[in-house]
Amino acid sequence: MSITVQSRRQTLTPELARLNREIEQYARGYGLDFYETMFEVLDFEEMNMVAAYGGFPNRYPHWKFGMEYERLNKSYAYGLHKIYEMVINNDPCYAYLLECNHVVDQKLVMAHVYGHCDFFKNNIWFSKTNRKMMDSMANHATKIRKYIDRYGLEKVETFIDICLCLDDLIDYHSVFIERRPKHKQQAEEEPAIVKKIAASEYMDEFINPKEFIDQQKQRLEDERQKRRRFPEEPQKDVLLFLLENGPLENWQRDVLWIIREEAYYFAPQAQTKIMNEGWATYWHAKIMTERALNDAEVIDFADHHSGTVAAHPGQINPYRLGFELWKDIEDRWNKGKFGKDYDECDDYGSKREWDLGLGLGREKIFETRRVHNDITFIDAFFTEEFCHERRFFTYQFNPERGVYEIADRNWKSIKQKLLFSLTNFGQPLIYVIDGNFENRGELLLDHRHDGIDLRIDYAKDTLKSLYTLWSRPVHLRTIVEGKGKLLTYDGEKHLERKTDG
């Protein structure tokens, strides 16, 4: 099932347009820098349609979008969620307001959106993203609809299903790093040399006949080709390897390329979720409380904002964590709570009262916004004082009492678990090792075990999808309960065998 977003979207009313100009002026006055931002007003059904498409009004037809729309609609009907805003990383930025929101909510959402737009434009992790993705998404939809017309809905949709099962097998940092080594020139490769049997010159052609020498040269060359790694180095971007080397039809290669491009577009949003939501929350709080609120709106704003930054036992609220960290960074750099003298001070009272009056907070948060992602952000600024003052703990579920309970108060342990959950989005690291495994044209992947175990059922489904694209048996090396194991799918059945590790 697919969905179609109707063209009933509304432009801003004169009152909302006036408020938008006001909020934008406040945002720029604080130093926020963003592309032109286009707001549109949607009712709840239209908002759910656009949300089901990941914020874009036009995507390729696929049943997952229809399923997501049904989920959002039912969730809204039962009062389990309400989407207040959406904003798209694009130039210009596009943002959507919910038609039934109160005026104070619309003002808050506009301020929140401008925080996001500033982050999209200026954070380095978004610098390589497609700033015309609205147009690209529409082009992708047109291409896939043409393939559906030519090859049939079921065939194309089934292939998209397979690609979507693999869309996280990309290299999130490859847009900034040259991963693959430069190819060596042929002249640099050593030719195959056959050692002759010692013989006098007049007997050489009988002892070392030309046919025998040629056969030995070919044997050495064949062995050299076998030893050559394919790929030369382990490759984390599995989708790119399949695009370049998989036995795909042209339309299949094009669809896989589309899925991969969209995966890379959305990757920075996942890499900066805590920072980005915290940044937008920080700025909507500042703009509203210092500039945009009138007396009659204070209570409604406080109610909405407190819900946004509320703590949820058992899970991280990225709005709350990011918001609190941005405030803490600004406060620390305003008061000079950093550097050798502060770090070496072991008096708790003195550190609480520490204030050198440096006033560097605003400069520091803008600098931080520019260069960090969630992992480096948490690693650099999640301190012991911050953890204790904001009461961040780790929780675990007590099945006997049926509630979440505090499991750990140690700040280093809490920080480590938080960083661990953010590294590669908590997913296992998978690399392509050999595209000609055991010289049979089979595909070998390696799970680099860094503490994240594979879910074997997920791994088997992934191998099955990879087999469809590779058309040959696919293998995955991993570690299960401390022992090496090779998982294989040969097109008919799953196999397992022990390895050395």
Side-chain angles (χ1 to χ4, degrees):
M1 177 174 62
S2 63
I3 57 175
T4 303
V5 181
Q6 302 296 326
S7 58
R8 207 176 66 79
R9 293 174 290 165
Q10 308 170 32
T11 57
L12 299 183
T13 64
E15 175 64 10
L16 287 178
R18 183 188 66 79
L19 291 174
N20 178 36
R21 291 192 296 271
E22 179 183 319
I23 300 296
E24 179 180 359
Q25 183 179 0
Y26 295 148
R28 293 195 184 278
Y30 280 114
L32 298 185
D33 174 33
F34 39 82
Y35 299 119
E36 180 184 5
T37 304
M38 314 292 290
F39 283 94
E40 292 181 344
V41 180
L42 308 180
D43 63 29
F44 80 93
E45 285 189 351
E46 293 168 324
M47 185 71 87
N48 287 341
M49 289 179 186
V50 175
Y53 275 142
F56 290 86
N58 194 2
R59 299 286 298 274
Y60 55 83
H62 190 261
W63 61 265
K64 75 163 187 173
F65 299 126
M67 185 179 70
E68 177 64 8
Y69 171 72
E70 288 297 322
R71 186 190 71 80
L72 291 172
N73 251 14
K74 287 183 171 62
S75 180
Y76 181 88
Y78 286 107
L80 300 177
H81 93 286
K82 179 180 178 182
I83 301 173
Y84 282 88
E85 54 83 23
M86 279 184 296
V87 57
I88 298 175
N89 168 33
N90 200 75
D91 181 12
C93 287
Y94 288 89
Y96 305 101
L97 304 175
L98 189 60
E99 185 178 44
C100 61
N101 278 350
H102 297 298
V103 172
V104 64
D105 292 332
Q106 303 291 34
K107 291 163 69 173
L108 184 153
V109 166
M110 289 175 181
H112 192 89
V113 162
Y114 284 123
H116 279 309
C117 294
D118 171 84
F119 196 91
F120 290 149
K121 181 178 180 180
N122 296 286
N123 181 264
I124 192 171
W125 297 93
F126 286 87
S127 63
K128 303 294 183 180
T129 55
N130 183 355
R131 302 295 191 180
K132 299 296 180 184
M133 200 60 180
M134 185 74 81
D135 297 334
S136 296
M137 288 287 191
N139 292 336
H140 294 169
T142 300
K143 281 187 176 182
I144 289 180
R145 286 191 177 94
K146 287 182 178 178
Y147 293 138
I148 289 173
D149 292 340
R150 185 177 304 172
Y151 301 106
L153 175 62
E154 184 175 354
K155 185 174 183 179
V156 175
E157 195 168 69
T158 300
F159 186 76
I160 293 174
D161 288 345
I162 293 166
C163 296
L164 291 174
C165 289
L166 306 171
D167 69 350
D168 58 346
L169 296 180
I170 59 176
D171 185 354
Y172 299 105
H173 300 100
S174 63
V175 293
F176 298 99
I177 303 172
E178 180 62 51
R179 295 289 196 191
R180 294 186 285 190
K182 302 294 184 182
H183 293 290
K184 295 180 180 180
Q185 299 293 328
Q186 291 290 335
E188 297 178 1
E189 298 182 1
E190 295 182 3
I193 299 175
V194 178
K195 292 184 178 180
K196 294 183 178 181
I197 300 174
S200 58
E201 185 176 351
Y202 75 94
M203 290 295 292
D204 185 63
E205 62 179 309
F206 300 102
I207 302 299
N208 300 293
K210 183 178 183 301
E211 295 79 6
F212 172 77
I213 297 299
D214 290 343
Q215 288 176 359
Q216 295 305 304
K217 282 183 178 180
Q218 186 61 47
R219 181 180 63 80
L220 291 173
E221 178 62 22
D222 291 343
E223 291 180 356
R224 188 176 70 84
Q225 291 294 339
K226 289 180 184 179
R227 290 195 301 270
R228 177 180 291 176
R229 187 180 295 276
F230 167 57
E232 294 181 6
E233 299 291 336
Q235 187 166 327
K236 191 169 185 286
D237 193 338
V238 179
L239 293 192
L240 178 60
F241 182 84
L242 294 171
L243 277 169
E244 294 177 340
N245 303 288
L248 303 173
E249 298 180 33
N250 287 337
W251 73 269
Q252 292 175 323
R253 203 177 305 279
D254 201 18
V255 170
L256 181 58
W257 179 87
I258 287 171
I259 300 299
R260 178 176 175 270
E261 184 183 31
E262 293 187 5
Y264 271 106
Y265 169 80
F266 286 113
Q269 297 183 34
Q271 289 174 296
T272 60
K273 178 73 173 177
I274 293 170
M275 287 184 70
N276 198 346
E277 295 297 356
W279 184 254
T281 304
Y282 171 91
W283 285 109
H284 87 225
K286 182 169 285 292
I287 290 171
M288 293 295 285
T289 57
E290 295 183 0
R291 294 285 189 274
L293 277 180
N294 60 50
D295 294 345
E297 297 171 335
V298 171
I299 293 177
D300 288 334
F301 165 77
D303 178 64
H304 187 151
H305 177 72
S306 62
T308 301
V309 298
H312 305 299
Q315 62 184 16
I316 290 293
N317 179 352
Y319 295 83
R320 175 178 181 245
L321 177 55
F323 176 62
E324 295 290 352
L325 272 170
W326 287 117
K327 288 198 303 178
D328 186 65
I329 294 168
E330 184 176 37
D331 181 69
R332 286 175 57 199
W333 262 258
N334 277 336
K335 296 178 178 178
K337 291 185 173 183
F338 60 91
K340 183 174 182 292
D341 291 340
Y342 181 78
D343 292 339
E344 292 179 352
C345 177
D346 55 6
D347 181 69
Y348 181 74
S350 297
K351 296 186 85 167
R352 279 184 63 87
E353 301 299 326
W354 194 286
D355 189 353
L356 303 182
L358 299 183
L360 300 175
R362 184 65 56 82
E363 178 184 344
K364 183 62 179 179
I365 62 172
F366 274 99
E367 173 196 310
T368 302
R369 173 265 276 143
R370 183 172 60 85
V371 299
H372 284 276
N373 61 29
D374 281 348
I375 293 176
T376 58
F377 184 60
I378 297 296
D379 188 45
F381 302 110
F382 192 92
T383 62
E384 181 177 8
E385 292 86 354
F386 174 83
C387 185
H388 291 166
E389 290 176 6
R390 268 62 174 192
R391 298 185 179 182
F392 279 92
F393 313 119
T394 57
Y395 296 84
Q396 65 182 12
F397 186 75
N398 185 331
E400 295 181 358
R401 299 183 58 197
V403 296
Y404 282 94
E405 297 178 341
I406 294 174
D408 199 342
R409 298 174 185 269
N410 183 282
W411 78 277
K412 289 185 178 180
S413 176
I414 295 168
K415 181 176 181 177
Q416 183 180 30
K417 289 179 180 179
L418 184 55
L419 289 172
F420 192 75
S421 69
L422 294 172
T423 302
N424 203 48
F425 311 131
Q427 298 171 347
L429 296 168
I430 306 296
Y431 291 79
V432 176
I433 300 299
D434 195 348
N436 188 28
F437 183 52
E438 296 182 344
N439 202 36
R440 295 200 297 261
E442 299 175 5
L443 185 63
L444 174 65
L445 299 102
D446 183 53
H447 167 218
R448 294 194 176 176
H449 199 285
D450 58 353
I452 300 179
D453 293 325
L454 285 180
R455 279 193 54 169
I456 299 302
D457 54 341
Y458 284 10
K460 288 181 177 180
D461 288 342
T462 300
L463 289 175
K464 197 170 182 179
S465 297
L466 286 167
Y467 176 87
T468 304
L469 300 186
W470 192 250
S471 301
R472 297 283 298 165
V474 182
H475 312 268
L476 174 61
R477 290 193 316 217
T478 186
I479 296 175
V480 179
E481 296 179 351
K483 297 180 180 179
K485 183 170 287 191
L486 185 70
L487 308 178
T488 298
Y489 182 71
D490 63 4
E492 296 181 357
K493 59 184 178 298
H494 292 280
L495 305 169
E496 297 182 17
R497 70 173 186 260
K498 295 180 180 178
T499 65
D500 295 334

